[in-house]
């Protein structure tokens, strides 16, 4: 983290993912993205709603507004079997992003930022009552119209809440209503106080205080090799990412997830993979082969924690990082392969419960109760030490992590990709 600046919330990026435009968007996308050879896809010639594979002229000629990048085996065609270079990955990503931007501009409508004062329960009766309070001239009439406005607003709130609760489709609607009781976050950013007690309203100084709270300026220097390192294991090989793996990862991705700086969400990625399953698959394989994670830009939103007594301290706030969905999808696929390797080769102790499949807090409590009961049965005195690591992920040493992965037998390209993911 090199810099942090406070700025007004930016206008929403991205486009409205209208299902009515899905077929035309996908059909045009197949014409824009260059093919190395005709894809092995089958379509019903009588189905006008589904995009068809491009003809040979579209295979040989790329779209005039997009650059052509080549790679073997799918999206791109490469002249040799050499490992892809980092600039090749960046060129492939630029080609995909330009195609997405071009198609969104041609077929979709841009999103509009919501009104900050907008409320879901506001109706026409509220608008009429609000207008009357600004048209009266005498104090008596203003008092009467103000009372009527308050009554109208209260009635509108009750009717809206009743409709939401009694017309809920599933349990998520009920829990969404329950979150209203937690209160509303304040949009006012008060003055911040530094660790020395200095209070400031200056946005640049506020950014400095938040940066000191959220990010570690000088990480602790740690040697890559340590005496407690595990014995090196034989290096294993990883299979290439398949189209089925990308499909499975997209099936569990929520369309409502906030996109990153580009505004490309999971819905758009699902459209791309449905019509061109080779695009994301080839891009992800090239990223691993070249040991690079190219999605480095994120949008960091600072929000206040609810229920804090003092909002002048930086500890009362937390950063929310909005990552690129395209990068998060690759992370999800790699994480699953990591977990499969860990379970298959028993790389972690059985007492490690966090971030592992088929392990949860109930297992931790069961092991703890067993140890307590065994200690009491043997007549011994036991002690329990609990601690919480603050900022664990931010304090990970990337070189040390890559070194440990190498010792555990992970491929060199994957270890270097992890190093690229944790740095930059």
């Amino acid at each position: 983290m090199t810099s942090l600046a406070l700025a007004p919330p930016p206008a929403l990026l991205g486009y409205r993912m209208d299902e009515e435009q899905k077929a035309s968007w996908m059909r045009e996308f197949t014409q824009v993205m260059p093919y190395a050879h005709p894809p092995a896809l089958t379509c019903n010639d009588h189905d006008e709603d589904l995009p068809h594979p491009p003809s040979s002229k579209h295979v040989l000629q790329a779209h005039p507004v997009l650059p052509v990048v080549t790679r073997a085996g799918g999206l791109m065609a490469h002249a040799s079997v050499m490992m892809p270079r980092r600039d090749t990955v960046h060129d492939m990503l630029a080609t995909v992003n330009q195609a997405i931007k071009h198609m969104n501009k041609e077929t979709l409508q841009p999103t509009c930022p919501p009104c900050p004062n907008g409320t879901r329960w506001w109706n026409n009766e509220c608008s009429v009552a609000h207008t009357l309070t600004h048209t009266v001239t005498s104090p008596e009439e203003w008092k009467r119209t103000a009372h009527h406005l308050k009554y109208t607003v209260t009635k509108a709130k009750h009717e809206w809440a009743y409709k939401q609760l009694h017309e809920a489709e599933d349990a998520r609607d009920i829990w969404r209503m329950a979150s209203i009781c937690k209160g509303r976050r304040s949009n006012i950013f008060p003055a911040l106080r530094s660790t020395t007690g200095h209070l400031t309203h200056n946005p640049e100084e506020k950014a400095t205080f938040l940066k000191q709270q959220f990010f570690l300026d000088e990480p602790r220097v740690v040697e890559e090799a340590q005496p407690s390192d595990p014995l090196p294991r034989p290096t294993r090989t990883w299979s290439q990412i398949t189209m089925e793996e990308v499909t499975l990862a997209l099936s569990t991705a929520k369309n409502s997830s906030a996109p990153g700086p580009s505004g490309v969400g999971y819905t758009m990625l699902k459209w791309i993979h449905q019509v061109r399953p080779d695009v994301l698959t080839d891009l992800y394989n090239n990223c691993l082969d070249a040991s690079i994670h190219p999605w480095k830009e994120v949008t960091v939103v600072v929000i206040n924690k609810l229920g804090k007594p003092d909002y002048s301290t930086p500890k009362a706030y937390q950063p929310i990082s909005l990552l690129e969905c395209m990068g998060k999808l690759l992370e999800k696929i790699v994480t699953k392969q990591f977990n499969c390797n860990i379970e298959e080769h028993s790389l972690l102790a059985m007492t490690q419960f966090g971030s592992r499949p088929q392990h949860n807090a109930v297992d931790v409590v069961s092991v703890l109760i067993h140890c307590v009961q065994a200690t009491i049965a043997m007549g011994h005195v036991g002690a329990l030490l609990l601690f919480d690591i603050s900022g664990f992920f931010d304090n990970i040493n990337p070189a040390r992590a890559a070194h440990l992965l190498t010792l555990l037998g992970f491929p060199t390209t994957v270890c270097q990709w992890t190093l690229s993911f944790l740095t930059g």
Side-chain angles (χ1 to χ4, degrees), residues 157-417:
K157 289 182 178 180
H158 289 172
E159 292 178 350
W160 176 82
Y162 181 88
K163 181 179 179 180
Q164 294 294 319
L165 291 175
H166 289 267
E167 296 182 5
E169 297 181 356
D170 51 34
R172 290 179 298 179
D173 296 332
I174 303 297
W175 287 112
R176 191 179 299 113
M177 288 292 297
S179 63
I180 299 178
C181 301
K182 298 180 180 180
R184 178 184 295 180
R185 296 187 183 274
S186 174
N187 293 328
I188 301 176
F189 205 98
L192 286 183
R193 191 183 307 275
S194 66
T195 55
T196 59
H198 174 62
L199 194 67
T200 181
H201 291 273
N202 187 293
E204 295 182 358
E205 294 184 355
K206 288 182 180 180
T208 302
F209 297 163
L210 293 173
K211 179 183 176 182
Q212 294 174 352
Q213 173 65 30
F214 298 150
F215 308 104
L216 190 64
D217 291 334
E218 298 181 359
R220 181 180 177 183
V221 179
V222 178
E223 296 294 335
E224 294 186 11
Q226 297 290 334
S228 59
D229 286 346
L231 296 177
R233 292 172 175 254
T235 302
R236 299 179 298 277
T237 58
W238 271 27
S239 59
Q240 292 282 299
I241 296 177
T242 62
M243 298 179 184
E244 290 74 16
E245 289 181 291
V246 179
T247 302
L248 181 60
L250 282 172
S251 64
T252 59
K254 296 182 179 180
N255 295 337
S256 58
S257 297
S262 67
V264 178
Y266 282 122
T267 301
M268 195 172 298
L269 296 181
K270 292 177 181 179
W271 290 5
I272 294 174
H273 191 65
Q274 181 177 347
V275 67
R276 288 290 304 275
D278 60 312
V279 171
L280 296 178
T281 306
D282 283 351
L283 177 61
Y284 291 161
N285 282 321
N286 274 275
C287 289
L288 293 180
D289 292 341
S291 303
I292 181 176
H293 186 79
W295 297 276
K296 298 296 185 180
E297 295 185 3
V298 300
T299 300
V300 180
V301 181
V302 179
I303 62 176
N304 60 296
K305 301 177 182 178
L306 295 178
K308 295 297 180 180
D310 184 12
Y311 285 100
S312 64
T313 59
K315 290 184 177 181
Y317 301 87
Q318 59 182 352
I320 302 297
S321 298
L322 304 181
L323 306 174
E324 290 288 359
C325 291
M326 198 178 299
K328 290 194 294 184
L329 189 64
L330 175 59
E331 296 167 24
K332 181 184 296 187
I333 297 173
V334 174
T335 300
K336 184 176 181 179
Q337 294 199 18
F338 266 116
N339 288 330
C340 291
N341 265 255
I342 290 173
E343 298 301 326
E344 181 180 356
H345 300 280
S346 303
L347 301 181
L348 292 178
M350 294 298 297
T351 53
Q352 171 67 35
F353 296 97
S355 302
R356 295 184 65 181
Q358 288 79 46
H359 291 71
N360 52 37
V362 178
D363 299 328
V364 179
V365 175
S366 300
V367 173
L368 179 60
I369 293 176
H370 171 76
C371 294
V372 172
Q373 292 176 344
T375 302
I376 295 176
M378 297 177 64
H380 295 167
V381 177
L384 177 63
L385 177 62
L386 302 176
F387 61 91
D388 182 21
I389 302 177
S390 178
F392 175 80
F393 184 81
D394 297 332
N395 290 274
I396 291 179
N397 186 280
R400 170 70 176 159
H403 175 70
L404 287 175
L405 293 177
T406 303
L407 294 179
L408 293 176
F410 288 96
T412 303
T413 55
V414 176
C415 298
Q416 293 302 312
W417 177 88

Side-chain angles (χ1 to χ4, degrees), residues 63-135:
H63 195 276
V65 301
L66 298 177
V68 178
V69 184
T70 59
R71 181 199 184 264
L75 166 63
M76 312 298 177
H78 206 277
S80 64
V81 294
M82 296 176 60
M83 300 297 290
R85 298 180 302 174
R86 298 195 169 210
D87 55 352
T88 303
V89 175
H90 286 292
D91 290 341
M92 292 179 62
L93 181 59
T95 302
V96 176
N97 287 336
Q98 290 185 32
I100 294 174
K101 185 183 299 184
H102 176 76
M103 294 314 308
N104 291 345
K105 185 178 180 180
E106 293 293 329
T107 60
L108 302 179
Q109 294 293 329
T111 56
C112 298
C115 177
N117 299 324
T119 51
R120 298 182 180 180
W121 48 263
W122 190 271
N123 53 28
N124 293 332
E125 295 180 0
C126 296
S127 299
V128 173
H130 182 265
T131 303
L132 290 176
T133 59
H134 290 77
T135 57

Side-chain angles (χ1 to χ4, degrees), residues 42-81:
T42 58
C43 293
N44 187 353
D45 295 337
H46 302 286
D47 193 348
E48 298 296 336
D49 295 331
L50 293 178
H52 292 258
S55 59
S56 58
K57 65 178 182 179
H58 293 113
V59 174
L60 300 177
Q61 298 178 359
H63 195 276
V65 301
L66 298 177
V68 178
V69 184
T70 59
R71 181 199 184 264
L75 166 63
M76 312 298 177
H78 206 277
S80 64
V81 294

